[in-house]
Amino acid sequence: MSEEKKSLNFIEHIIEEDLANGLPKEKLRFRFPPEPNGYLHIGHTKAIGISFGLGETYNAPVNLRFDDTNPAKEEQEYVDAIKKDISWLGYQWENELYSSDYFQRLYEWAVQMIKDGKAYVDSQSSEVMAEQKGTPTQVGTNSPYRNRSVEENLELFEGMKAGKFPAGTHLLRAKIDMEDPNMLMRDPIMYRIMFAKHHRTGDDWCIYPMYDWTHGESDYIEQVSHSLCSLEFKPHRELYNWFRDHVYDYAKDKLPMPPKQREFARLNLSYTIMSKRKLLRLVEEGIVSGWDDPRMPTISGLRRRGYTPNSIRKFIEKVGVAKRENVIDVSLLEFCIREDLNKIANRVMAVLDPIKVVITNYPEDKEEWLEAENNQEDESAGYRKVPFSREIYIEKDDFKEEAGSKYFRLKLGGEVRLKNAYIIKANSVVKDANGNITEIHCTYDEDTSKKVKGTLHWVSIKHAITAEVREYDRLFMHESPDSQKDKDFMAFINPKSLTIKTGYLEPSLAEVEVGERFQFQRLGYFNVDDDSTAEKLVFNKTVGLRDSWAKQKPKPQNNQNKPKPQQQKRSAISVIQQFGKKYTKLSDEKQQTVKAEIQELAKEVSYDDLEPLFGTAVKKAGTRIVTIIALKVLLKNGLEKNDAINEFIDKAKADKNDVLVAEAAEI
RNA sequence: UGGCCUAUGGUGUAACUGGCUAACACAUCUGUUUUUGGUACAGAAGAGUCUAGGUUCGAAACCUAGUAGGCCAACCA
């Protein structure tokens, strides 16, 4: 067991510390608490991966708890979809729970809080209350109802529960501090009146608890040890603790574990939006076909697109956990899915943009069934037969009448290998009236041992089956479409995010099943879409293969690779400082050229610019060398020596860096 | 005008809690192998850790100030 010590993220550090301080390992318990008001997306996967992942590493139970305290928004449909997605990802929850299961207990605790003078019934309009609440920079003021008697509060709360009051007339609030700098502590609402049918409790209740009151107490009831959520809940922690500490007083005999909330930064993906509300808009406005459109970042979308649970889990693992805002490059997600599919997807041949090739020396009525390896990454995948005949399709892109030596594909007079078949040579082309090539005439050679640079995929026209092939591009053309202050995210929609083609496939694909994944050789990974039927096959492109050839070709004006915002002219001193950072690493020769440049720049530098650099840390020898060089220029141009200068020079002469000493000695 | 959080190569995370030349992955670029311009393998480039002070023999880490970004005023979660 020489397990290499993996570095821990900050949450794991906290847990390790708690364990070291005496928390028994058996007490560890986590939870994933979605609100059933929408579909899960890749961002949620991070939260799922963290809590369920912790459960796996510490062998601790993880509850799936639906935070269903707002019947106006929540539906059973979402509960079912969420369960399906989590299961699909391969995680197992210990218990399926609902906050609504705790409504009675929460109610009893609330009554206790009233009796203890920690909560009161307010009877004002939301406008007035908002007024009293103040702003982040301005304290709030007390409600006139804040000091109702316990008896009155009890009676009113009882009445609220019994349905005696219309919605909006009364509220239960915690009595904390209207002047707290944290607005969440300014007498937060615990209960509101809502005459709505709840997806689980039906009409049992007409008062519903708010998030802050429910969430932490649900954690506590479940004896969750570590309650992990995203950063925006950080300000809630203070309130989480306040409620928890009071309730702990009521129940500590039976519920000894007070949970602790910790927050991590949520996942952001480049060229993607993550907000449920905005995703809903894409669905409602018909930009996509539904929540499971393969372009959507939802779990169901990714699943339909052909992503594997493994690849998504791997992605979440690689993304890490920390507290700073981040934007993950989609290329990491693509890397993860390619890595997985490379190992498990069988290779097949499909031509998506065909051009006809006639092999003139191959008999017209002949056909051969050639052996093809299914997956060279997996020996157990075996072999299959693919038909070859006189007329085949290859990709249009794979032929040019004329091309340079860097072009490995077919050109007139050139030879290429047909994957799993023969080597062919292009002799002539047939063109239509517009000059478009309609046929390429080739001759084949049975000797396949020859070395040729290029290998093409192909499909026998006579045997080919057709399929609808859907290719996807990113939904948005901007790296962070929803964080532009002056533009709506809809402005960045990519109008060409979906391309539908007719593909010609080798006949082995005639009987595929929905969800099956393949590599179309040299093109990418594809899976069978839910829309696919025996009569009409439909494939989705999951992701393309890496293509180092495409990168060499001139990009179609898409300069997304280097939008480096060039800073406007930097000052001479900052350029010199920049040189300083590298100076000691440069070769002697380079040092000379850089030195000359610094001497030139130094002419524009004033003493006031330079002086702050005298204090540079000893360790930063490069910066000090560069400063000396510049200083010498200034001295030469008439600058008088002063104490600061002399001290700096003396210190340099005494340094252990030879270059620095040498430069200083010249003064 | 407040409070809280964050700042490490282009991106994301590390750095055994103050100690080696700041590590790993993605992205980028080179080669080698290859019946996929894929995979695999080998290598390169790129960061004095936001800035300035301070503490220390020693700071990415601790302290102070500044700067930048994020979050906080729903009877949402």
Side-chain angles (χ1 to χ4, degrees):
Chain A
M1 251 197 89
S2 62
E3 184 89 352
E4 201 170 309
K5 73 175 157 211
K6 217 181 102 225
S7 61
L8 305 176
N9 64 46
F10 80 98
I11 292 172
E12 291 165 331
H13 276 127
I14 289 168
I15 292 172
E16 287 297 325
E17 199 182 320
D18 289 342
L19 292 174
N21 289 336
L23 175 71
K25 196 158 172 270
E26 312 80 66
K27 296 272 189 187
L28 286 180
R29 185 178 286 268
F30 308 98
R31 105 270 93 114
F32 175 64
E35 183 190 11
N37 71 341
Y39 286 76
L40 257 26
H41 54 63
I42 185 81
H44 295 112
T45 314
K46 178 170 178 178
I48 294 169
I50 288 171
S51 287
F52 280 97
L54 250 16
E56 286 175 3
T57 58
Y58 289 101
N59 195 21
V62 183
N63 288 336
L64 171 60
R65 181 181 72 236
F66 290 95
D67 256 343
D68 54 349
T69 58
N70 186 0
K73 288 190 185 173
E74 295 147 8
E75 290 170 32
Q76 185 62 37
E77 176 202 343
Y78 296 123
V79 170
D80 298 336
I82 288 169
K83 284 164 63 179
K84 179 179 173 184
D85 287 345
I86 297 175
S87 298
W88 178 76
L89 284 169
Y91 293 110
Q92 291 179 332
W93 51 85
E94 178 82 4
N95 301 300
E96 175 185 337
L97 302 167
Y98 296 81
S99 288
S100 52
D101 295 341
Y102 312 136
F103 281 172
Q104 181 61 32
R105 178 128 49 155
L106 254 15
Y107 171 77
E108 287 161 14
W109 278 338
V111 168
Q112 189 67 49
M113 298 265 288
I114 294 171
K115 288 179 180 164
D116 291 346
K118 298 294 178 192
Y120 64 96
V121 173
D122 202 345
S123 311
Q124 306 180 94
S125 70
S126 58
E127 293 76 32
V128 175
M129 278 183 44
E131 193 84 8
Q132 287 165 358
K133 194 152 191 182
T135 68
T137 57
Q138 218 176 326
V139 297
T141 51
N142 286 347
S143 161
Y145 298 100
R146 197 170 198 263
N147 290 316
R148 286 215 253 232
S149 69
V150 169
E151 292 68 32
E152 191 184 358
N153 280 325
L154 246 22
E155 192 186 324
L156 284 167
F157 189 46
E158 201 62 43
M160 283 166 65
K161 183 189 179 235
K164 287 187 190 159
F165 309 117
T169 52
H170 300 283
L171 289 167
L172 187 72
R173 301 178 73 178
K175 193 191 259 190
I176 308 181
D177 180 3
M178 290 305 288
E179 297 190 6
D180 197 296
N182 181 349
M183 294 201 61
L184 289 158
M185 300 298 277
R186 322 237 258 233
D187 290 8
I189 297 168
M190 293 173 70
Y191 280 92
R192 76 283 214 191
I193 299 171
M194 272 179 109
F195 291 92
K197 196 181 184 79
H198 187 278
H199 72 109
R200 305 197 88 231
T201 61
D203 295 319
D204 292 355
W205 296 85
C206 62
I207 54 171
Y208 288 93
M210 300 288 288
Y211 165 84
D212 286 294
W213 169 238
T214 313
H215 187 90
E217 280 39 68
S218 299
D219 286 342
Y220 178 52
I221 289 167
E222 291 170 21
Q223 290 288 279
V224 166
S225 59
H226 299 261
S227 177
L228 309 169
C229 59
S230 51
L231 235 40
E232 77 239 55
F233 289 97
K234 176 69 218 285
H236 292 251
R237 185 150 116 196
E238 200 179 351
L239 180 54
Y240 182 102
N241 292 347
W242 191 91
F243 279 135
R244 180 198 64 195
D245 293 345
H246 281 97
V247 170
Y248 182 72
D249 239 17
Y250 307 149
K252 56 178 172 283
D253 296 340
K254 287 196 180 129
L255 300 171
M257 163 72 71
K260 58 161 82 168
Q261 172 181 304
R262 289 298 179 270
E263 312 81 13
F264 55 84
R266 63 182 341 151
L267 171 78
N268 297 295
L269 247 196
S270 62
Y271 299 97
T272 309
I273 57 169
M274 226 52 111
S275 131
K276 275 187 201 171
R277 211 191 76 246
K278 290 176 181 167
L279 291 173
L280 178 64
R281 215 174 127 195
L282 294 178
V283 174
E284 285 179 340
E285 296 191 17
I287 306 291
V288 296
S289 64
W291 284 99
D292 68 344
D293 186 292
R295 290 166 291 180
M296 291 282 273
T298 49
I299 310 281
S300 49
L302 291 165
R303 174 166 59 227
R304 187 163 173 190
R305 175 85 172 248
Y307 275 77
T308 60
N310 258 346
S311 67
I312 296 175
R313 291 175 61 147
K314 192 72 178 284
F315 170 70
I316 291 306
E317 202 179 291
K318 282 183 180 294
V319 150
V321 182
K323 284 204 268 199
R324 55 175 165 170
E325 297 292 329
N326 57 77
V327 182
I328 312 292
D329 201 314
V330 279
S331 66
L332 183 61
L333 218 208
E334 294 179 347
F335 169 81
C336 291
I337 185 60
R338 285 193 191 108
E339 188 186 40
D340 196 21
L341 259 18
N342 177 49
K343 284 180 293 202
I344 61 175
N346 281 350
R347 271 110 245 239
V348 294
M349 293 195 287
V351 175
L352 302 187
D353 193 10
I355 186 163
K356 186 173 172 181
V357 171
V358 179
I359 299 163
T360 52
N361 61 341
Y362 195 88
E364 286 203 30
D365 49 358
K366 186 174 173 184
E367 69 175 51
E368 287 177 88
W369 287 76
L370 305 167
E371 188 159 76
E373 191 174 12
N374 284 329
N375 184 354
Q376 46 277 78
E377 307 295 323
D378 176 8
E379 284 198 19
S380 70
Y383 293 80
R384 70 184 185 288
K385 298 281 190 184
V386 291
F388 185 76
S389 67
R390 190 169 196 262
E391 296 187 338
I392 61 171
Y393 282 136
I394 64 169
E395 300 287 346
K396 268 199 186 107
D397 260 3
D398 285 342
F399 176 77
K400 277 188 186 175
E401 288 184 83
E402 282 177 62
S405 62
K406 294 258 237 170
Y407 187 79
F408 301 163
R409 308 175 184 184
L410 191 60
K411 55 193 166 196
L412 282 180
E415 287 186 315
V416 289
R417 182 187 302 279
L418 294 176
K419 180 84 187 169
N420 305 315
Y422 305 111
I423 290 173
I424 57 170
K425 179 177 183 181
N427 302 308
S428 61
V429 294
V430 177
K431 293 185 182 177
D432 65 14
N434 299 322
N436 299 314
I437 299 169
T438 54
E439 284 181 17
I440 306 163
H441 286 191
C442 298
T443 47
Y444 86 107
D445 186 343
E446 290 211 353
D447 175 16
T448 59
S449 64
K450 226 188 307 186
K451 276 240 176 228
V452 291
K453 197 72 174 146
T455 302
L456 307 185
H457 62 277
W458 51 275
V459 59
S460 163
I461 295 176
K462 176 162 66 176
H463 302 90
I465 58 172
T466 59
E468 178 175 318
V469 178
R470 301 174 180 170
E471 293 188 313
Y472 305 101
D473 197 357
R474 51 180 61 123
L475 250 182
F476 295 96
M477 298 186 296
H478 195 284
E479 184 176 298
S480 44
D482 61 351
S483 59
Q484 302 307 302
K485 291 201 166 65
D486 46 347
K487 266 195 177 171
D488 186 68
F489 72 100
M490 295 295 263
F492 300 112
I493 292 277
N494 176 3
K496 286 183 287 207
S497 58
L498 170 62
T499 309
I500 297 178
K501 290 179 176 170
T502 298
Y504 295 83
L505 325 183
E506 63 171 71
S508 72
L509 289 167
E511 311 219 327
V512 293
E513 286 171 21
V514 167
E516 267 194 276
R517 302 181 179 92
F518 299 91
Q519 184 196 98
F520 288 2
Q521 263 181 332
R522 301 211 305 134
L523 297 176
Y525 297 97
F526 294 75
N527 78 328
V528 184
D529 187 75
D530 296 1
D531 290 344
S532 196
T533 63
E535 290 73 43
K536 187 190 176 194
L537 292 176
V538 181
F539 282 86
N540 295 309
K541 182 171 181 174
T542 307
V543 66
L545 257 28
R546 270 189 83 221
D547 188 350
S548 47
W549 168 244
K551 282 180 202 154
Q552 289 176 31
K553 294 191 285 190
K555 285 264 167 72
Q557 84 190 71
N558 207 346
N559 54 343
Q560 48 172 266
N561 260 338
K562 32 139 187 212
K564 258 260 128 70
Q566 202 50 261
Q567 300 209 308
Q568 69 265 76
K569 204 172 92 202
R570 293 193 303 160
S571 67
I573 190 67
S574 79
V575 177
I576 290 175
Q577 259 184 293
Q578 191 67 38
F579 280 134
K581 291 179 179 178
K582 301 186 169 179
Y583 200 83
T584 53
K585 284 193 217 158
L586 301 174
S587 63
D588 290 352
E589 192 187 337
K590 272 203 167 168
Q591 279 186 356
Q592 289 312 310
T593 55
V594 166
K595 184 174 169 180
E597 233 176 294
I598 292 168
Q599 287 168 332
E600 198 55 38
L601 285 162
K603 292 175 186 167
E604 298 170 35
V605 170
S606 72
Y607 176 71
D608 290 341
D609 288 337
L610 207 56
E611 202 206 56
L613 296 182
F614 292 172
T616 302
V618 176
K619 183 181 166 188
K620 300 178 182 176
T623 303
R624 294 163 69 213
I625 294 169
V626 151
T627 306
I628 288 274
I629 294 172
L631 177 60
K632 284 194 286 190
V633 173
L634 265 68
L635 289 170
K636 205 176 107 193
N637 291 343
L639 177 69
E640 299 269 329
K641 281 193 190 177
N642 61 23
D643 292 348
I645 294 175
N646 288 326
E647 191 190 334
F648 178 62
I649 294 171
D650 291 342
K651 219 167 135 191
K653 282 179 180 162
D655 200 81
K656 57 187 173 191
N657 183 299
D658 298 338
V659 182
L660 180 55
V661 172
E663 291 289 351
E666 285 178 23
I667 297 181

